[in-house]
Amino acid sequence: MDHAGHQELRPDHAEPARRRRSLRATLALCLGGLQFLAILSVILSTFVSSENALLRQSRNSLNEVSVNVIGQVKSFLNPARQALDATRRLAENDVLDISDATVLESHFFQQLQVAPQLAGMYLADETGRFVYVMRAEEAGRYRTKYVPPFLDGTTEHPADFKWRNDQFTLLETAATDTDTYEARSRPWYRMVSETKAPIWTEPYIFFTTRQPGITYSVPILDEDGNIRAILGVDIQIDALSGFLLDIWSERRGAALVLNEDGAVLAHPTLVLIRQEAHMEAPELTRVDQIADPIAQMAFGDVVQTDLSDTEGPVHTDFQLNGQDYVAMLIEVSEPGLRWLIGLYAAEDNFIGEIKKNRTQGVWIALAIAILTGAIGLAMADRIYAPVRTFASQSQQLFSGEITPEEVLHSPYRELEDTGVALTQEVKQRQRFETAYGRTFDLASRGMAQISPETGRFLRTNEQLCDIMGYQPEELEKMTLADILPEDGHQIAVKFRETLLQDSEFIIESQFIRKDGSPIWLRVNAILIRDESGIPDHAVAIIDDVSDRKQAEDEAGRLSRDLSHVARVNLMGEMASGLAHELNQPLSAISYNVDAAKITLDEIGDPDPELTEILSDIDRQSRRAGDIIRALREVVRKDRGRQTPFELSGLIRQTVSLMEAEAKLHEIKLHFEESGLPPVIGNRTQIAQVLVNLLRNAIDALARDPVAKGQINIMTRTTDEMVEVHVQDNGPGVSDDVTLFNTFDTQKTDGMGLGLSICRTIVKANGGTIWYEPTETTGACFCFTLRRSDLSEENQE
């Protein structure tokens, strides 16, 4: 079809053959020779100096800067060493009384005012005593913490706090008995205790301020060389970043302080390495994690290399984003520290002037190119005029100002053929866009075009708007994250990452409609790229799966309920069989005891103690038989029929059944028996309700035992119903538990089905069940059953 169209259009715009020249050949012949001379001149006029010489000049400049940086780092650390060493000498010479917390507080306060880079000073000894003065978060305020001696291994202990201003005026005090800080377990204390020498710790996150820092600690020794106490001073490392910013202010260069494991201790841009520490064991930002691509490329691999055997600095050079950089890594010669100074800079910072000289050659070549270009421009303008016209017509065709029927034409053969092909392509594209637009808008499923970078809705159809409750213009101002719950931010991140990897994004999750109600959606999205391969938009198909999710949840709940009922039935059958088997040996025991007593009577003058023992055996065997019969009555099978029965007898049997379990936990069961009329219901099901309520009360008292655990079963008769109250003196019901809801329980190993099943059973037997708060502690659960001694007319 396209070929036929091409043949029809060509005769209408036929041009003489001599005008259908090749544009490529014309431009090549006219401009090729002139530009060749310009390029040749540029090549011959550049490279007036060696690249190796330029690199040596850059490295020499870095060496000079590194000396300044190392000096600044040492100057930053020296006040800590000097302040601590001076304090140690005063203490060892008994000039400073370290046993007086007030004297120590005043001395530490003076040291912090003298050296602003110090974050805090402290003293600890083997008794657990700890005196700490630190800068508070508010400017001009200081906080003192004093922990008196306490036993090693104690998890909580007393601590006093004071806040003062710059004039040492007391502003506020506080105290606690549950402080958990243990100085003797900290790395600086253990290291000094082992070495009895000054140490620098590895950089870490301070316990109090939760900010990165380093500690310098020294021991205070007595005359025999034993440790009296240990002094420490904290330096908040991020203050170094201010020094580095002053030393190096170029935008394409920076100086960093690194630990030997690659952690970034200081960076001119402090926000790149600052991170709040909310974890139990936070880590410092590593150089390969920092948001500084230049530092990552310069030092990301080098810090993994052991530099202990390397003499002098390590130099590297690299290129990033078209810019040449030089970098250097050198150790800080400080005892006890394994810090590295890293410097990187664009070569232009050092050799920019030299490169300017090289650029002069380029300008000479450019002048030649301009001269030749001016000559060729006039020729190219004449040659390019048809191309300009063709480009303008193409733009009008794409914008709709002209129709595809108005075929593009040109005096050049290549453009003429291109115009015909372009016209056919525009027609096909218009047909496709029309079909796609109708399919998108009229689809029975929710559809959206979404920006893969920002998650913003670019276009939505009516079905999606109905699902979410928004108007199209409202949705197109929102992003995917706006319709997710507060904890669904990770879904938006995964959406972007998955699509940009050209993978299909499929997820079922909860979203939020305009009215705030939750809705389960299934989102299936793919990425569409433009002709250049750049991500353009994502097409998402969105379905409402709320009904299916609800059905799945209901099926799961029913499955769990069925499993529980099956286990209850199985236990009932096992209990019934066990009761039958135990009844025979118990009967034999009772018969044998009677025979033994008769034999003793025949012998004459029986031993009273032996007779009492046999009587006790007889009583216990009969009691066991009663329990077995109660168990058989409780678990016996029934067909779900509701018949009249004696409620008092059922309660007595249930109490007898549960009494052994209650005694195991030293809990007393008490049934206030009164004359009750018969009730109507399923006896076995009501027994299950009583067992569940009693077991819940026993579990509550066993979990939180009281001095005298007691469970009372009380009954009351009304005109039409009999009420049963099961009350205990335990801890009661937690406020966060919704009673009678399936799977809602206070027990760590419970399923939350007991009360739900009780409610179902009581309701099926024509009664109600409820919870009554007690006046003191404990819980009281009540249920009712219909009286069977009334006529049907009265019951109605």
Side-chain angles (χ1 to χ4, degrees), residues 390 394 397 407-409 414-424:
F390 182 86
S394 300
L397 177 63
V407 181
L408 307 178
H409 59 86
E414 292 88 343
L415 294 183
E416 183 74 16
D417 295 340
T418 301
V420 174
L422 183 61
T423 301
Q424 297 298 329

Side-chain angles (χ1 to χ4, degrees), residues 533-548:
I534 300 174
D536 185 70
H537 66 275
V539 176
I541 299 176
I542 303 172
D543 297 309
D544 182 358
V545 295
S546 298
D547 293 340
R548 177 170 61 80

Side-chain angles (χ1 to χ4, degrees), residues 3 23-24 46 143 148 197 267 331 348 369 577 625 764:
H3 180 70
L23 177 60
R24 181 178 59 183
T46 56
R143 191 189 76 166
H267 190 285
E331 271 194 76
D348 290 347

Side-chain angles (χ1 to χ4, degrees), residues 629-690:
R629 282 189 293 275
L631 178 62
R632 294 184 65 180
E633 288 295 322
V634 170
V635 301
R636 67 184 180 182
K637 291 185 178 180
D638 64 82
R639 299 181 181 179
R641 293 177 299 178
Q642 296 181 3
T643 58
F645 66 91
E646 291 295 332
L647 181 59
S648 295
L650 178 62
I651 295 176
R652 286 196 303 273
Q653 291 174 350
T654 306
V655 170
S656 177
L657 183 63
M658 300 299 297
E659 194 167 14
E661 184 175 346
K663 285 184 177 179
L664 182 63
H665 298 287
E666 299 181 355
I667 299 170
K668 183 178 180 182
L669 287 180
H670 179 66
F671 171 39
E672 296 181 1
E673 191 169 352
S674 59
L676 295 178
V679 296
I680 187 168
N682 186 292
R683 190 177 189 278
T684 301
Q685 292 179 352
I686 300 305
Q688 183 179 353
V689 172
L690 285 169

